[in-house]
Amino acid sequence: MIDAILFYVFAALALGSALGVVAQRNPLYSAFSLIVTLCSLSAIYGLLGSPFIAVLQIVVYAGAIMVLFLFVLMLLGARREEAPARQGRALPGVALALVALLALQVASVILGAAPAAGTPGFEATTRKVAEVLFSVRFLYAFEATSILILAALVGAVALAKRQL
Amino acid sequence: MPPQGLMEDPLLYRMAFMAVFMPLAGFSVLALFGDAIKREGKADGAGLLACVTVLISFALSAGSVFRLYGLLADHEGLRFSQPYLGFEWIDVAGFRVPFNLLLDPLSAVMILVVTGVGSLIHIYSLGYMHEDEDRVRYFSYMNLFTFFMLLLVLGGSLPLMFVGWEGVGLCSYLLIGFWFKKKSASDAGNKAFIVNRVGDAGLILGMILAFHALGTLDLVDIASNIGAKPGEALGELGLLTTIALLLFVGACGKSAQIPLHIWLPDAMEGPTPVSALIHAATMVTAGVYLVARLAPLYERSATAMTVVAVVGAATALMAATIALVQTDIKRVLAYSTVSQLGYMFLACGVGAFGVAIFHLFTHAFFKALLFLGSGSVIHALGGEQDLRRMGGLRAKIPWTFGTFLVGTLAIAGIPFLSGFFSKDAILAAAYEGHRPVLFGVGLFTALLTAFYMSRLLFLAFFGSFRGGHEVEHHVHESPWSMLGPLVLLAAGSVGAGYIAIPQLVQPAFRLSVSHQAHPAWLPYLATLGALVGIAAAYYLYVLYTALPARIGASFAWLRRLFEAKWGFDDAFEWFARRVVVDASERVLWKRVDDGGIDAAVNGSGALVASLARSVRLVQTGLVRGYALVILGGAVALFAYLLWMPR
Amino acid sequence: MSGPIPIQHALLLSAALFALGVLGVFLRRNVITLFMCIELMLNAVNLAFIAFSRAWGTLDGQVLVFFVMTVAAAEAAVGLAIVIAIHRHRDTMDVDAFNLLKW
C-alpha cells in the first residue's frame, strides 16, 4: 500500500522534472532537473525490488555522468538558448505529431497486453545479480563492456586534447 | 552395308592417301627448307622437287584407278571404294565425319586430270618461273594447291570436301596475289577470295540444311538417303530445292558463274601457269564437280535443275560477248573459261551430268594448252600481253603457234578434236531435253566461241607485228621445259574426246542411265557454226582489218555494253560503295553506334548523375532532421506491426 | 518487501519519459541539452527493464540495465569530448551549426 503511494509520488516527480529537462531554457537548470529525475527513478527502482540497481543509479548516473555534464557545461560556458533557427522551422510541429503517435502506439501495446503477476518475494540483491552477471551467460558481455569503457576512455582523451 | 559399298583393300587405301599427301609433303619441305635447296641455273632444286611430288602423285593416282577398276570388275555390283584413314575427324553428339575418301569413277577422272595436267603445268613452270626470285614460294603454293584440290575431289564427305574447297580458295588467293608488291595483283587476290567467300556462305548454309534434312554429310549416305525423299516439282521451294540452290551459290562462287564471276578475269594478274592450272583446268571446275557429285540431289529438284541450266547458259553467252572486245590475251581466255564453265552447268542442268564431266575433261586439256601457249607468247615478247601490240608471230615461234592452233580448233569444236565431241554432247542433251531456248543459246555461243578464239589467234599470230622494234628483235621460242607440256596437252586436246567419259562416270551418279540420243544433223550444224565463226574472224582480222573498228562504231552501244562487262563490276562497286560503306557510315555508325548505343550508355550515365543530383539534396546536414526521419520510420514500422496484420 | 505495484503503470511511466526524451531531442538546440534528453530516454528504457524483470521474476533485466548504464556512461564521455573538440573550433553549441556534412 505504502509502496503504491510512494510509487505514484515519485512517478509524478520524475515526470515533472523530465518536463523541466525538456522545457527549461538554461541548460544548467535542465541538468539539475535531470538529476532530480534520476534520483526519483532510483527510488522507483528500489520500490520495484531492485536495490542494487537503485544504488548504482545514484552512484553512476547521478554521481558520475551528471557531474561530467555539469563539468562540461561549466567549462564551455552554457548560455541561454539562442533565437529560433532559420531552417527546420516546421520541425518542432512535425516532431510533436510523431512523438504523440509513438506514445499512442506504445501505450496501446502496454494496455493491450495482460499484466504479468509479480512474483511475491522478489528481491534482486547484489549477490543474486552478481551470480547472474558473472555466470557463463553474461561473462563475455561483461568483459567486452570493460573493453568498451577502455575504448571510450582513450577516445575521450584523444578527442578532447588540445594537441596530440 | 549394301554390296555396292566399300571394300577393304589396304593397298588401294595406301595408294590413294599417299597420292593426296605427297603434294602436302612437297609443300612442307619447300616451305621449311626451300631456300636451302633452291639453286640458280637450270637444275632448280625447289622446282624439281615440286614437279617430282606431283608426278609421284599422278603415278599413285593412276595406280589407284587401275586397282579400283580391277576390283570393280571382280566384284559384281560394286561401285566405289571408301579409303579410310582410321580415325574420325569430328565425332560430336551424333555428327560424325570420319576421315575417309571416296574413290569411284567420277573422282578417278578428277584425280587423273588434277595430277596429270598439274604435273605438266609444274614442268612448264620450271621454265616460265625460271628467273623469278620468289619461285620457292611459288612452287610451295602450287604443291599446296594440288594437295587441297585432291582432297576436294577425293573427300568422302561434304565437310572434307569443304576443307579442300577452302584450301584451294586460299591457294588461289596466294597465287593470284603472288606478285603482291603490285597493287592490282593483291587487289585481285582479295577480290577472288572475297567473292568466293560469298559463295561459301551459301555452301555452308546448304551443308547445314543438308545435315538437318538428311542426317548425314557423307557423300555415299546422302545419295542413299535422297532416294527416300520425294521429288520436288518446278516452282516448289521445298527442302531439297533450297539445299540444291544454296550449294549452287557456292558452286557459282568457285566456278565463276553469274553473278559471282567477276573475280576470274582479275585473277589473270597471277602468273600464267597459275591461270592455267587453277583458273582453267582444276579449281574452277570444283563447282561443276560439286553439282555432279550431288546429282541425286539435283535430280530431285526441278527448280534447281532449271536454275542451274539457265544460269549456265546465260553465263556462257554473256562471257562470250565480253570476250569479243577484250584486248588482253589472258582476259580473252579468262572469259572463255567462264563461258565454257557455263556450258558445263548447262549440261548439268538438263540432266546430262556425265556429259558435263566430259566437257570438264576435254576443257582441262585445251584450256590449259591455250593458257600455257599464251604464256609462251608472253614469254617470247618479254612480258607483252596486249593483243594490239602483237601480230605475225606465226613464223617466229612456230611450235607455240602450232600447239595454240590445235587448242583453238579444239575449243571451237572442229570435228575430230576433243572439244567437238564434248560440246556436241552438251547441245544434244539440251535438244533431247526439250529445251529449245537453251539449245539455241548454246549453239549461238558456240559460234561466238569460235569467232573470238579465232580472233585471238589471228590477232596474235597473223598479219604484221604491231609492237615495238626491240621487242621484235628479241622474240624467241620458249625452252623445251615449256614446249614439252604444250605438245603433250595438244595431243590430249585431240585425243581426249575419244575416251567415253560419260559412260565411264555414269555409275557414280546412281541415276537411271539416261539414253543420250543423238540427232544425226547436230554435228553438221555445230561444225557449220564453228566454221562460220572462224571465217568471220578471218574476214575481219586478217583480210579487212579496218572493219572491226567501223562495226564497233556503228554498234557503239553494244560495244560499250560488252566492254563494260555488262555492268557487273560497276554494280558491285556501286553496291559496295553506296550501300555498304555509305550505309554503314551514315546509318550504322552515326545513328546506331553514336546516336543509339553511345547515347544509351552515356545517357544512362547522365541519368544516374541527374538522379543523384536530386537525391543528394536529402543530405541537409541538419542532425535533427535526420533524427526526425528515423523517428518517422520507427513510427511507421510500429504502426505496420501493430495495426496492419488483421 | 514489495507490494502490489502495477507493472503497467510503471511501463506507462517509462513510455511517457521516453516520449518526453524524444521530444526534447527535437525541440532543444543546445547540444548538451540534447545529450541529456538522450540520457532521459535511456533511463526510461532502464525503467522498463526493471519493471519487466520484476514482472517475470528473472534477473536478466537487472543485468541488462547494468550494461545499459555502462554504455550510457561511455557514450556520454565520448559525446562530450566531441562537443568540446567542436566548440574549440566553432565556439557554438547549437546543433544546427554542425552542418558541414551536407551536399
Side-chain angles (χ1 to χ4, degrees):
Chain A
M1 207 60 238
I2 297 280
D3 293 345
I5 298 173
L6 280 176
F7 171 77
Y8 290 120
V9 168
F10 282 117
L13 194 60
L15 269 175
S17 50
L19 211 62
V21 171
V22 174
Q24 304 261 33
R25 292 282 119 204
N26 195 324
L28 269 176
Y29 295 165
S30 299
F32 294 142
S33 302
L34 188 58
I35 294 177
V36 172
T37 313
L38 293 175
C39 293
S40 358
L41 279 178
S42 169
I44 294 176
Y45 293 162
L47 286 168
L48 285 175
S50 315
F52 173 62
I53 297 296
V55 172
L56 216 61
Q57 172 94 339
I58 300 290
V59 169
V60 172
Y61 248 117
I65 295 177
M66 287 321 297
V67 168
L68 180 63
F69 267 101
L70 284 169
F71 186 79
V72 173
L73 271 171
M74 293 302 180
L75 184 67
L76 299 184
R79 269 154 272 172
R80 288 182 63 86
E81 198 106 321
E82 289 118 49
R86 293 167 305 283
Q87 39 177 196
R89 253 162 304 180
L91 215 140
V94 178
L96 198 62
L98 281 176
V99 170
L101 209 65
L102 184 67
L104 218 75
Q105 289 168 331
V106 176
S108 75
V109 172
I110 295 169
L111 293 172
T119 323
F122 175 81
E123 183 100 11
T125 57
T126 311
R127 153 158 273 168
K128 283 194 202 163
V129 175
E131 274 168 8
V132 179
L133 182 60
F134 292 117
S135 71
V136 167
R137 282 182 67 205
F138 292 109
L139 185 62
Y140 176 69
F142 183 77
E143 299 301 332
T145 312
S146 50
I147 298 183
L148 173 72
I149 295 173
L150 178 66
L153 177 69
V154 172
V157 170
L159 280 168
K161 261 177 93 87
R162 209 167 276 276
Q163 60 210 93
L164 267 133
Chain B
M1 291 241 63
Q4 73 239 32
L6 55 95
M7 51 202 154
E8 302 280 333
D9 190 317
L11 180 60
L12 181 61
Y13 287 16
R14 261 186 239 126
M15 280 202 289
F17 275 108
M18 283 285 290
V20 171
F21 283 108
M22 272 310 292
L24 181 64
F27 162 74
S28 316
V29 171
L30 283 171
L32 294 170
F33 308 113
D35 281 319
I37 59 179
K38 158 171 116 173
R39 290 196 302 269
E40 308 300 322
K42 287 279 177 194
D44 182 7
L48 281 174
L49 176 65
C51 291
V52 163
T53 51
V54 182
L55 279 167
I56 294 179
S57 188
F58 176 63
L60 287 170
S61 305
S64 311
V65 173
F66 275 125
R67 191 157 180 86
L68 175 75
Y69 274 96
L71 286 167
L72 291 186
D74 286 342
H75 296 79
E76 186 65 44
L78 197 58
R79 295 231 212 111
F80 56 83
S81 166
Q82 286 181 306
Y84 178 55
L85 198 56
F87 64 90
E88 313 283 309
W89 175 29
I90 302 174
D91 191 1
V92 167
F95 177 59
R96 262 186 81 235
V97 178
F99 201 96
N100 66 353
L101 312 174
L102 176 62
L103 190 60
D104 70 352
L106 176 58
S107 50
V109 168
M110 296 300 296
I111 57 174
L112 287 176
V113 167
V114 171
T115 50
V117 175
S119 339
L120 288 176
I121 294 179
H122 273 81
I123 295 172
Y124 179 93
S125 305
L126 283 176
Y128 193 81
M129 300 296 286
H130 183 62
E131 277 137 30
D132 195 302
E133 282 296 310
D134 295 317
R135 57 187 179 280
V136 170
R137 189 160 57 94
Y138 171 84
F139 280 110
S140 66
Y141 289 160
M142 290 288 273
N143 263 14
L144 187 66
F145 168 82
T146 310
F147 162 69
F148 277 124
M149 191 69 206
L150 286 172
L151 192 61
L152 197 162
V153 298
L154 276 176
S157 50
L158 280 178
L160 264 179
M161 191 195 289
F162 188 63
V163 172
W165 188 277
E166 291 292 299
V168 296
L170 169 71
C171 292
S172 173
Y173 162 77
L174 289 171
L175 284 164
I176 292 173
F178 180 68
W179 291 308
F180 54 82
K181 292 177 190 156
K182 194 171 162 217
K183 184 162 198 308
S184 55
S186 68
D187 283 350
N190 284 341
K191 188 171 178 178
F193 197 79
I194 292 170
V195 174
N196 237 270
R197 256 292 165 242
V198 174
D200 290 349
L203 184 58
I204 293 176
L205 286 174
M207 278 205 291
I208 293 172
L209 212 54
F211 183 69
H212 170 72
L214 302 167
T216 175
L217 287 174
D218 182 275
L219 290 173
V220 176
D221 294 335
I222 286 179
S224 349
N225 288 4
I226 293 264
K229 303 268 175 185
E232 290 170 15
L234 188 61
E236 183 186 331
L237 198 68
L239 204 56
L240 293 179
T241 307
T242 317
I243 298 173
L245 287 174
L246 283 171
L247 292 173
F248 182 59
V249 170
C252 282
K254 196 62 99 191
S255 297
Q257 298 296 291
I258 295 176
L260 298 172
H261 63 284
I262 49 175
W263 64 272
L264 191 52
D266 284 46
M268 297 300 112
E269 291 283 341
T272 308
V274 169
S275 308
L277 180 62
I278 299 185
H279 308 125
T282 46
M283 189 185 90
V284 292
T285 57
V288 183
Y289 170 74
L290 178 70
V291 173
R293 185 44 98 191
L294 293 170
L297 169 68
Y298 281 91
E299 275 259 303
R300 280 268 185 278
S301 165
T303 317
M305 294 283 269
T306 312
V307 168
V308 171
V310 168
V311 169
T315 307
L317 182 59
M318 189 200 75
T321 57
I322 301 178
L324 288 178
V325 298
Q326 293 301 310
T327 55
D328 182 305
I329 190 172
K330 286 177 70 176
R331 294 275 162 132
V332 177
L333 293 175
Y335 281 106
S336 170
T337 305
V338 175
S339 184
Q340 297 304 307
L341 289 168
Y343 267 108
M344 293 177 215
F345 281 109
L346 169 57
C348 287
V350 296
F353 295 98
V355 171
I357 300 297
F358 187 28
H359 196 58
L360 194 159
F361 184 69
T362 58
H363 175 264
F365 285 102
F366 56 68
K367 193 45 69 65
L369 168 63
L370 285 167
F371 265 111
L372 294 184
S374 73
S376 184
V377 169
I378 295 169
H379 174 91
L381 294 175
E384 181 60 70
Q385 292 185 210
D386 195 327
L387 283 169
R388 295 169 292 194
R389 286 197 281 275
M390 298 185 190
L393 294 174
R394 163 168 68 130
K396 303 206 173 85
I397 44 177
W399 281 96
T400 305
F401 169 66
T403 51
F404 205 90
L405 177 64
V406 172
T408 309
L409 292 176
I411 195 175
I414 296 299
F416 307 114
L417 298 177
S418 59
F420 166 74
F421 292 107
S422 57
K423 202 176 286 198
D424 212 54
I426 295 178
L427 292 173
Y431 186 79
E432 288 299 318
H434 307 291
R435 312 293 258 284
V437 175
L438 295 177
F439 173 73
V441 167
L443 194 60
F444 181 62
T445 308
L447 195 154
L448 285 180
T449 307
F451 177 76
Y452 68 69
M453 285 308 302
S454 317
R455 165 180 177 265
L456 176 64
L457 185 78
F458 294 140
L459 278 177
F461 293 100
F462 285 67
S464 48
F465 189 70
R466 297 181 289 278
H469 264 334
E470 329 76 58
V471 180
E472 195 171 359
H473 281 150
H474 282 110
V475 171
H476 58 283
E477 187 62 277
S478 304
W480 274 101
S481 56
M482 286 166 68
L483 289 178
L486 285 179
V487 171
L488 287 171
L489 285 171
S493 303
V494 175
Y498 295 98
I499 304 176
I501 296 285
Q503 281 69 27
L504 224 58
V505 299
Q506 198 58 43
F509 301 128
R510 293 170 197 79
L511 310 168
S512 49
V513 180
S514 47
H515 179 66
Q516 293 290 336
H518 213 116
W521 47 266
L522 186 55
Y524 298 103
L525 184 60
T527 313
L528 182 65
L531 290 172
V532 165
I534 297 176
Y538 188 79
Y539 191 76
L540 287 174
Y541 292 103
V542 179
L543 295 181
Y544 299 100
T545 50
L547 268 182
R550 295 231 306 268
I551 297 179
S554 19
F555 290 94
W557 61 276
L558 254 177
R559 162 172 271 271
R560 266 182 278 119
L561 178 67
F562 297 159
E563 275 175 356
K565 297 167 273 181
W566 291 72
F568 275 96
D569 274 316
D570 300 319
F572 278 117
E573 167 108 23
W574 174 85
F575 180 74
R577 179 161 304 147
R578 294 310 307 284
V579 178
V580 177
V581 174
D582 269 9
S584 301
E585 199 172 317
R586 274 187 288 112
V587 176
L588 287 178
W589 178 8
K590 298 279 166 56
R591 300 256 195 82
V592 174
D593 199 29
D594 273 358
I597 297 174
D598 279 0
V601 172
N602 291 346
S604 51
L607 183 69
V608 171
S610 73
L611 238 125
R613 250 193 302 277
S614 346
V615 169
R616 72 173 175 165
L617 294 173
V618 170
Q619 310 282 336
T620 54
L622 207 56
V623 174
R624 292 188 296 154
Y626 298 160
L628 189 67
V629 173
I630 295 175
L631 177 65
V635 171
L637 191 63
F638 220 161
Y640 174 74
L641 288 173
L642 278 183
W643 293 322
M644 284 318 122
R646 282 278 149 166
Chain C
M1 287 296 295
S2 47
I5 296 179
I7 303 299
Q8 277 190 320
H9 295 185
L11 291 177
L12 281 174
L13 174 64
S14 159
L17 286 175
F18 188 85
L20 277 174
V22 174
L23 203 60
V25 165
F26 289 110
L27 291 180
R28 304 310 302 273
R29 278 173 40 241
N30 187 307
V31 66
I32 299 189
T33 315
L34 206 79
F35 278 136
M36 290 196 278
C37 295
I38 292 174
E39 294 299 329
L40 186 57
M41 290 200 288
L42 284 167
N43 273 284
V45 169
N46 278 350
L47 178 59
F49 271 128
I50 299 290
F52 276 120
S53 162
R54 155 97 186 186
W56 291 331
T58 59
L59 293 167
D60 288 353
Q62 315 279 330
V63 174
L64 283 173
V65 168
F66 179 88
F67 286 133
V68 169
M69 265 193 231
T70 316
V71 172
E75 166 232 329
V78 174
L80 288 171
I82 292 176
V83 168
I84 293 177
I86 295 181
H87 181 88
R88 206 173 285 141
H89 288 283
R90 297 295 228 88
D91 196 35
T92 177
M93 286 199 284
D94 183 348
V95 77
D96 286 343
F98 304 160
N99 64 351
L100 287 178
L101 209 60
K102 67 176 183 186
W103 60 261

